[in-house]
């Protein structure tokens, strides 16, 4: 079991009594998200982590879609099936509002599960429910990325890497930023058309007009938050989209500048909070169609 600032302890409990529409899964792999660290101290005795993959070992009496032995992963927002997000759907968040998946067995509602494709390992599949789902919801949401669009991806986090892959699958032009040349090399290998080192070029938003023939970015996958939002808005085109998925950069932002930029350019600022099970199923179909270019990138295994 992982240690979260020495607060995590090993606990043994009986297997749960399955409800009629639940599926009992033996957990084979758990992926670690930035979110897991952010919410680790919210509740005492919380079973941490939101993302996992595993094998069905038992089903409730009313379950018809799943069979024992099938490989599955679960949407962390386990009651968010489709449509717009709501307060009720997000109250079922694993590893935050409810106990998570860093456990040997876990019961899930049958409607929260999706299949694991044959070409994916358990480790690879465990990265889909949060990182891939957030990236997909950002870029394939109300106005999906299309061929010919230009997409700006900040950093090389899990969400960012999936953003590369989904944008490339949509035949979009990808511009990547990072403070590390090593990570930018990874972005190039994944197909980024242009890369910008934020340390070498701190005003990276001013590079965008040169790289886009003066038009600007159609979609920005914005993971930085306060430290990068103003520059993301500066880089996006008129009526472009900035999809806010994270707050990993904590430098102070000037709110008045952000408001004025949004109004002046008609920018759409959109908060992204993971996604629905229907979207997770769409990711599975995409990965089946393009198995190599969308293969999950696993950096470290503990």
């Amino acid at each position: 079991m992982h240690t979260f600032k020495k607060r995590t302890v090993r606990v043994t409990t009986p297997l749960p009594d399955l409800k009629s529409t639940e599926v009992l899964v033996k957990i084979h792999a758990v992926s670690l998200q930035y979110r897991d660290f952010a919410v680790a101290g919210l509740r005492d005795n919380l079973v941490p982590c939101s993302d996992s993959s595993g094998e069905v070992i038992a089903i409730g009496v009313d379950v018809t879609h799943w069979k024992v032995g099938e490989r599955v992963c679960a949407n962390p927002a386990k009651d968010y099936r489709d449509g717009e997000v709501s307060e009720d759907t997000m109250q079922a968040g694993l590893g935050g509002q409810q106990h998570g998946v860093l456990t040997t067995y876990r019961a899930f509602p049958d409607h929260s599960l999706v299949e694991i494709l044959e070409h994916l390992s358990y480790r690879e599949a465990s990265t889909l429910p949060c990182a891939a789902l957030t990236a997909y919801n950002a870029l394939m949401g109300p106005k999906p990325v299309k061929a010919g669009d230009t997409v700006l991806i900040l950093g090389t986090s899990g969400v960012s890497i999936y953003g590369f892959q989904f944008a490339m699958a949509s035949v979009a032009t990808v511009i990547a930023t990072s403070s590390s040349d090593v990570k930018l090399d990874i972005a190039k290998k994944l197909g980024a058309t242009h890369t910008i080192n934020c340390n070498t070029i701190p005003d990276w938003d001013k590079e965008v007009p040169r790289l886009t023939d003066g038009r600007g970015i159609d979609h920005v996958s914005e993971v930085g938050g306060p430290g990068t939002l103003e520059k993301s808005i500066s880089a996006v085109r008129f009526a472009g989209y900035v999809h806010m998925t994270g707050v990993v950069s904590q430098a102070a932002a000037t709110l008045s500048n952000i408001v004025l930029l949004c109004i002046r350019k008609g920018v759409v600022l959109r908060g992204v909070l993971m996604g629905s099970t229907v979207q997770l199923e769409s990711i599975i179909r995409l990965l089946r169609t393009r198995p190599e270019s969308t293969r999950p990138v696993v950096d470290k295994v503990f």
Side-chain angles (χ1 to χ4, degrees):
M1 181 171 286
H2 302 313
T3 299
F4 290 78
K5 298 180 181 179
K6 299 182 180 180
R7 285 196 296 263
T8 295
V9 295
R10 186 184 298 273
V11 176
T12 300
T13 60
L15 287 175
D17 293 326
L18 279 185
K19 297 178 182 178
S20 64
T21 57
E22 284 187 332
V23 175
L24 185 63
V25 175
K26 178 178 174 59
I27 303 298
H28 282 262
V30 172
S31 64
L32 190 61
Q33 311 294 331
Y34 179 86
R35 171 185 179 272
D36 297 319
F37 290 102
V39 303
L42 294 181
R43 280 183 54 187
D44 292 333
N45 302 317
L46 176 71
V47 177
C49 297
S50 60
D51 294 14
S52 65
S53 63
E55 176 187 358
V56 175
I57 63 167
I59 60 175
V61 295
D62 292 329
V63 173
T64 58
H65 185 63
W66 300 108
K67 298 178 181 178
V68 172
E70 290 185 307
R71 304 193 313 150
V72 295
C73 56
N75 186 352
K78 55 191 180 70
D79 290 325
Y80 184 12
R81 303 191 196 191
D82 195 13
E84 294 182 346
V85 67
S86 69
E87 183 177 359
D88 289 340
T89 57
M90 296 317 298
Q91 286 304 312
L94 300 177
Q97 294 84 358
Q98 297 190 11
H99 285 310
V101 296
L102 194 59
T103 181
T104 311
Y105 301 95
R106 182 67 160 82
F108 300 96
D110 59 351
H111 58 256
S112 72
L113 299 173
V114 299
E115 65 174 322
I116 295 176
L117 298 174
E118 289 184 0
H119 73 278
L120 297 181
S121 68
Y122 281 116
R123 290 173 179 174
E124 291 170 324
S126 71
T127 69
L128 297 176
C130 183
L133 187 53
T134 301
Y136 188 90
N137 189 5
L139 297 181
M140 303 298 169
K143 188 174 182 180
V145 171
K146 63 182 184 302
D149 282 351
T150 302
V151 178
L152 176 63
I153 304 290
L154 303 189
T156 52
S157 67
V159 173
S160 300
I161 294 295
Y162 273 118
F164 289 134
Q165 295 174 317
F166 295 153
M168 294 300 299
S170 300
V171 200
T173 297
V174 178
I175 301 174
T177 70
S178 175
S179 58
S180 165
D181 284 332
V182 173
K183 292 181 178 180
L184 288 176
D185 286 338
I186 295 173
K188 290 176 184 177
K189 291 177 182 177
L190 290 172
T193 305
H194 306 287
T195 59
I196 304 173
N197 187 309
C198 299
N199 285 339
T200 306
I201 307 175
D203 293 328
W204 46 265
D205 55 312
K206 294 180 172 59
E207 278 288 288
V208 167
R210 181 180 67 82
L211 300 176
T212 60
D213 295 326
R215 184 171 185 270
I217 303 296
D218 295 287
H219 293 267
V220 180
S221 179
E222 166 54 68
V223 300
T228 56
L229 181 57
E230 185 175 346
K231 290 181 179 179
S232 291
I233 296 170
S234 173
V236 78
R237 67 168 173 84
F238 278 75
Y241 280 72
V242 177
H243 307 280
M244 298 179 291
T245 65
V247 289
V248 298
S249 178
Q250 294 297 325
T254 305
L255 183 59
S256 59
N257 290 353
I258 290 173
V259 172
L260 288 173
L261 275 171
C262 286
I263 294 173
R264 184 174 67 83
K265 297 174 70 175
V267 172
V268 179
L269 283 182
R270 177 172 173 255
V272 178
L273 194 60
M274 286 191 277
S276 69
T277 304
V278 167
Q279 289 174 312
L280 191 53
E281 290 169 345
S282 295
I283 292 173
I284 297 299
R285 291 194 294 272
L286 175 58
L287 268 61
R288 178 182 287 113
T289 304
R290 305 200 174 182
E292 292 308 316
S293 62
T294 59
R295 195 175 196 104
V297 178
V298 176
D299 181 36
K300 296 179 181 178
V301 177
F302 302 92

